[in-house]
Amino acid sequence: MPSTKSQVLSPIPGVFYRKPAPDKEVFIKEGDAVKSGDVIGLVEVMKNFYEIKAETDGVLESFLVNEEDILDAGQEIAVISVQ
Amino acid sequence: MSYFSKVLIANRGEIARRIIRTCHRLGIQTVAVYSEADAQAPFVSEASEAVCIGPAQAKKSYLDVEKVIQAAKQTRAEAIHPGYGFLSENPQFAERCEAEGIVFIGPSADVIKRMGSKLEARSEMQKAGVPVVPGSAGQIGSVEEAAALAEELGYPLMLKASAGGGGIGMQLVRDQEELEKAFHSTVQKAESFFNDGAVFLEKWVADPRHIEVQVAADRFGNVVHLYERECSIQRRNQKVIEESPSPFLDESLRQQLLEAAVRGVKEMGYTNAGTMEFIFDGDKNFYFLEMNTRLQVEHPVTEEITGVDLVEWQLKIAAGHELPLRQEEIKKAGHSIECRLYAEDPKTFFPSPGTINQLQLPEEEVRLDFGVIEGSVVSPFYDPMIGKIIVHGTERLEAIKKMEQALAEIEVQGLKTNLPLLESIMRNDQFKSGDYTTQFLEKTEILS
């Protein structure tokens, strides 16, 4: 079955993190399976942390931004391939 | 008389502008430090000089000790005012200033360190005879030890990180099961956020009021209070509205509180302005919570009722002068209220960065401490507070009326603010009665 791609967007501007804390492992690695509702990263906005969640089941194909990159609202964060 | 010829302000937004104002009135030159995101901010153009210290993210600019020190050396600033937040309660920063021969406008690094540890602060206050929330005397080493202590103290309890703050690193536990579940995660959080895994237990005070005392101390052992501030209107453990005097205290309870605060400050060898925070339970017992070793966001309500310029006092004390007034000379008059205007959704409190396309502000009978002007960009990198509205009246209801009037004249376009919430609180009967606790915003349906 052909796979389709689904983009994960940041609804808010801020600083992107792939880890829950500096000394922790990343939420998810590229190539890992992901379920709808899974947290894949955090965006820090005005001293608050906003969880970025997958909106579909699939495989997290790639991240389009790096740890601590500064995001604009609507910017693409990751691509999930849906089987 | 001038206390310094040049002061660097290691902060941004409204507090940087407020400090610059007093410095310039006293003939002191100012240096602003700013991040790339703040290049167009009013505080940068208002300072006598300005130095860009790095990118937008606070840890690469405002929190970078060496960049701030470098800017001070390069501009030959004699002293640094840290404002609140950022480096203001960082003992390593105070130490670095001292090592470079720059005056840190605040207490000694040693006092900042001791008060930064909740366990150490608790034990010093107990020694001074200041009541603390009943709890464990020292660090708890294991979950078994915690369970045994909890049995003795009785649930519900707060499990707290000694180095915690701002609501991070504390967890309510109602029984042994919850304690066992929370123990390791709280230790872990404390280690990763604060680099100090020490935790302790305190009795949980239900539905408390948060009342704090402004203090000031000089190098000659003089300590005074400048009365209390009522700060119980909070959201997410952060203050939204403050007032002085507190409508909750009668004269005898007020005196007990103020005397306890001064006693505690004398014990620790404090210098400069600071704030002793207390919580009150429903039976009017009060307990020391923590000390903030810096200027507070809400300091203007104290200035309004006492006529004292707290920033001027800070400069004076830091320059080695005696306190300008003795306790009996510090008078208060009337009632003052402050509202914090946050760029956030008034119902969900979710941050709302953006550009202020239009800003209308009242012009009379109000003090405005604002970090922004029309056209300012409120960036996602910093605190959502964009300004403070402060009023003074001869009595509380008059002050509330003035605040209602001032808020009605404010208009902000381009981003969401909590203005509708502030206006509703001023009209709320429970707020008007003065009978409210820190649970007020959670328990009351204010915005329909």
PDB file of all heavy atoms in Angstrom, chain B residues 238-250:
ATOM      1  N   GLN B 238       1.246  32.399  39.487  1.00  0.00           N
ATOM      2  CA  GLN B 238       1.860  33.702  39.222  1.00  0.00           C
ATOM      3  C   GLN B 238       0.846  34.801  39.497  1.00  0.00           C
ATOM      4  O   GLN B 238      -0.337  34.663  39.202  1.00  0.00           O
ATOM      5  CB  GLN B 238       2.344  33.786  37.778  1.00  0.00           C
ATOM      6  CG  GLN B 238       3.711  33.155  37.602  1.00  0.00           C
ATOM      7  CD  GLN B 238       4.191  33.264  36.173  1.00  0.00           C
ATOM      8  OE1 GLN B 238       3.410  33.425  35.238  1.00  0.00           O
ATOM      9  NE2 GLN B 238       5.492  33.165  36.006  1.00  0.00           N
ATOM     10  N   LYS B 239       1.361  35.895  40.064  1.00  0.00           N
ATOM     11  CA  LYS B 239       0.488  36.967  40.516  1.00  0.00           C
ATOM     12  C   LYS B 239      -0.113  37.743  39.340  1.00  0.00           C
ATOM     13  O   LYS B 239       0.538  37.931  38.320  1.00  0.00           O
ATOM     14  CB  LYS B 239       1.285  37.929  41.399  1.00  0.00           C
ATOM     15  CG  LYS B 239       1.827  37.251  42.656  1.00  0.00           C
ATOM     16  CD  LYS B 239       2.990  37.997  43.267  1.00  0.00           C
ATOM     17  CE  LYS B 239       3.656  37.138  44.333  1.00  0.00           C
ATOM     18  NZ  LYS B 239       4.967  37.679  44.741  1.00  0.00           N
ATOM     19  N   VAL B 240      -1.345  38.182  39.511  1.00  0.00           N
ATOM     20  CA  VAL B 240      -2.025  38.967  38.493  1.00  0.00           C
ATOM     21  C   VAL B 240      -2.363  40.366  39.029  1.00  0.00           C
ATOM     22  O   VAL B 240      -2.235  41.355  38.326  1.00  0.00           O
ATOM     23  CB  VAL B 240      -3.318  38.254  38.019  1.00  0.00           C
ATOM     24  CG1 VAL B 240      -4.053  39.091  36.987  1.00  0.00           C
ATOM     25  CG2 VAL B 240      -3.003  36.871  37.469  1.00  0.00           C
ATOM     26  N   ILE B 241      -2.817  40.405  40.300  1.00  0.00           N
ATOM     27  CA  ILE B 241      -3.185  41.676  40.926  1.00  0.00           C
ATOM     28  C   ILE B 241      -2.570  41.719  42.324  1.00  0.00           C
ATOM     29  O   ILE B 241      -2.578  40.716  43.045  1.00  0.00           O
ATOM     30  CB  ILE B 241      -4.718  41.818  41.015  1.00  0.00           C
ATOM     31  CG1 ILE B 241      -5.299  41.936  39.596  1.00  0.00           C
ATOM     32  CG2 ILE B 241      -5.125  43.025  41.858  1.00  0.00           C
ATOM     33  CD1 ILE B 241      -6.805  41.925  39.546  1.00  0.00           C
ATOM     34  N   GLU B 242      -2.011  42.876  42.685  1.00  0.00           N
ATOM     35  CA  GLU B 242      -1.465  43.046  44.031  1.00  0.00           C
ATOM     36  C   GLU B 242      -2.012  44.347  44.620  1.00  0.00           C
ATOM     37  O   GLU B 242      -2.332  45.267  43.880  1.00  0.00           O
ATOM     38  CB  GLU B 242       0.069  43.136  43.992  1.00  0.00           C
ATOM     39  CG  GLU B 242       0.770  41.931  43.362  1.00  0.00           C
ATOM     40  CD  GLU B 242       1.038  42.107  41.881  1.00  0.00           C
ATOM     41  OE1 GLU B 242       0.511  43.074  41.294  1.00  0.00           O
ATOM     42  OE2 GLU B 242       1.772  41.286  41.308  1.00  0.00           O
ATOM     43  N   GLU B 243      -2.090  44.381  45.947  1.00  0.00           N
ATOM     44  CA  GLU B 243      -2.531  45.617  46.581  1.00  0.00           C
ATOM     45  C   GLU B 243      -1.878  45.793  47.936  1.00  0.00           C
ATOM     46  O   GLU B 243      -1.380  44.846  48.526  1.00  0.00           O
ATOM     47  CB  GLU B 243      -4.064  45.658  46.696  1.00  0.00           C
ATOM     48  CG  GLU B 243      -4.697  44.470  47.385  1.00  0.00           C
ATOM     49  CD  GLU B 243      -6.228  44.598  47.442  1.00  0.00           C
ATOM     50  OE1 GLU B 243      -6.732  45.680  47.775  1.00  0.00           O
ATOM     51  OE2 GLU B 243      -6.914  43.592  47.165  1.00  0.00           O
ATOM     52  N   SER B 244      -1.850  47.032  48.374  1.00  0.00           N
ATOM     53  CA  SER B 244      -1.352  47.343  49.699  1.00  0.00           C
ATOM     54  C   SER B 244      -2.141  48.532  50.220  1.00  0.00           C
ATOM     55  O   SER B 244      -2.362  49.487  49.479  1.00  0.00           O
ATOM     56  CB  SER B 244       0.141  47.681  49.659  1.00  0.00           C
ATOM     57  OG  SER B 244       0.619  47.852  50.983  1.00  0.00           O
ATOM     58  N   PRO B 245      -2.602  48.500  51.491  1.00  0.00           N
ATOM     59  CA  PRO B 245      -2.470  47.405  52.449  1.00  0.00           C
ATOM     60  C   PRO B 245      -3.329  46.188  52.074  1.00  0.00           C
ATOM     61  O   PRO B 245      -4.174  46.274  51.201  1.00  0.00           O
ATOM     62  CB  PRO B 245      -2.976  48.022  53.758  1.00  0.00           C
ATOM     63  CG  PRO B 245      -3.497  49.371  53.451  1.00  0.00           C
ATOM     64  CD  PRO B 245      -3.300  49.667  52.036  1.00  0.00           C
ATOM     65  N   SER B 246      -3.078  45.056  52.781  1.00  0.00           N
ATOM     66  CA  SER B 246      -3.897  43.863  52.583  1.00  0.00           C
ATOM     67  C   SER B 246      -5.233  44.049  53.290  1.00  0.00           C
ATOM     68  O   SER B 246      -5.271  44.414  54.459  1.00  0.00           O
ATOM     69  CB  SER B 246      -3.202  42.636  53.167  1.00  0.00           C
ATOM     70  OG  SER B 246      -4.139  41.568  53.284  1.00  0.00           O
ATOM     71  N   PRO B 247      -6.358  43.772  52.582  1.00  0.00           N
ATOM     72  CA  PRO B 247      -7.665  43.909  53.228  1.00  0.00           C
ATOM     73  C   PRO B 247      -7.917  42.825  54.285  1.00  0.00           C
ATOM     74  O   PRO B 247      -8.900  42.887  55.015  1.00  0.00           O
ATOM     75  CB  PRO B 247      -8.647  43.771  52.056  1.00  0.00           C
ATOM     76  CG  PRO B 247      -7.913  43.069  50.982  1.00  0.00           C
ATOM     77  CD  PRO B 247      -6.458  43.414  51.162  1.00  0.00           C
ATOM     78  N   PHE B 248      -7.039  41.856  54.388  1.00  0.00           N
ATOM     79  CA  PHE B 248      -7.229  40.693  55.263  1.00  0.00           C
ATOM     80  C   PHE B 248      -6.716  40.957  56.676  1.00  0.00           C
ATOM     81  O   PHE B 248      -7.154  40.334  57.634  1.00  0.00           O
ATOM     82  CB  PHE B 248      -6.471  39.527  54.627  1.00  0.00           C
ATOM     83  CG  PHE B 248      -6.539  38.215  55.358  1.00  0.00           C
ATOM     84  CD1 PHE B 248      -7.729  37.510  55.423  1.00  0.00           C
ATOM     85  CD2 PHE B 248      -5.400  37.675  55.942  1.00  0.00           C
ATOM     86  CE1 PHE B 248      -7.789  36.276  56.063  1.00  0.00           C
ATOM     87  CE2 PHE B 248      -5.445  36.448  56.579  1.00  0.00           C
ATOM     88  CZ  PHE B 248      -6.645  35.743  56.642  1.00  0.00           C
ATOM     89  N   LEU B 249      -5.762  41.876  56.823  1.00  0.00           N
ATOM     90  CA  LEU B 249      -5.071  42.031  58.107  1.00  0.00           C
ATOM     91  C   LEU B 249      -5.710  43.105  58.983  1.00  0.00           C
ATOM     92  O   LEU B 249      -6.022  44.194  58.500  1.00  0.00           O
ATOM     93  CB  LEU B 249      -3.606  42.432  57.874  1.00  0.00           C
ATOM     94  CG  LEU B 249      -2.732  41.484  57.064  1.00  0.00           C
ATOM     95  CD1 LEU B 249      -1.326  42.061  56.929  1.00  0.00           C
ATOM     96  CD2 LEU B 249      -2.681  40.112  57.711  1.00  0.00           C
ATOM     97  N   ASP B 250      -5.880  42.797  60.282  1.00  0.00           N
ATOM     98  CA  ASP B 250      -6.199  43.874  61.211  1.00  0.00           C
ATOM     99  C   ASP B 250      -4.874  44.412  61.750  1.00  0.00           C
ATOM    100  O   ASP B 250      -3.809  43.836  61.500  1.00  0.00           O
ATOM    101  CB  ASP B 250      -7.136  43.396  62.329  1.00  0.00           C
ATOM    102  CG  ASP B 250      -6.551  42.229  63.109  1.00  0.00           C
ATOM    103  OD1 ASP B 250      -5.344  42.274  63.440  1.00  0.00           O
ATOM    104  OD2 ASP B 250      -7.288  41.268  63.402  1.00  0.00           O
TER     105      ASP B 250
END
